Amino acid sequence: QLLIGFTCKVCDVRSHHVMSKQAYTKGVVLIQCPECKNRHLIADNLGWFRDTKVNVEDLVKEKGEGIRK
């Protein structure tokens, strides 16, 4: 199990969610904000949303933001 905590960029609400390691490394993970119901892409290893494999660490680096583990 993996735990992720993040702040929604749409409504500025902080939330925490649990996902399986297998889904994060081999599948697709979308997390819905409990406040505004916006969906956030956390991992796409099947190429559903992009042509290459991508996870939240790659997406954050693209935007020039930091990540803590």
Side-chain angles (χ1 to χ4, degrees):
Q1 296 273 335
L2 299 174
L3 174 70
I4 185 171
F6 67 95
T7 302
C8 177
K9 295 283 185 171
V10 177
C11 65
D12 290 327
V13 169
R14 182 119 179 114
S15 61
H16 296 84
H17 304 271
V18 177
M19 66 189 121
S20 72
K21 186 174 181 180
Q22 182 177 3
Y24 182 74
T25 57
K26 297 183 180 181
V28 176
V29 179
L30 293 170
I31 294 180
Q32 186 172 9
C33 174
E35 185 69 25
C36 69
K37 308 300 184 206
N38 189 45
R39 290 183 182 92
H40 301 274
L41 178 64
I42 303 301
D44 180 11
N45 294 297
L46 301 178
W48 286 5
F49 300 98
R50 293 197 168 197
D51 292 334
T52 60
K53 293 182 179 182
V54 67
N55 61 33
V56 72
E57 295 172 35
D58 300 330
L59 296 170
V60 169
K61 287 178 187 175
E62 282 179 9
K63 294 183 179 183
E65 298 176 6
I67 191 167
R68 277 188 331 189
K69 289 185 179 184

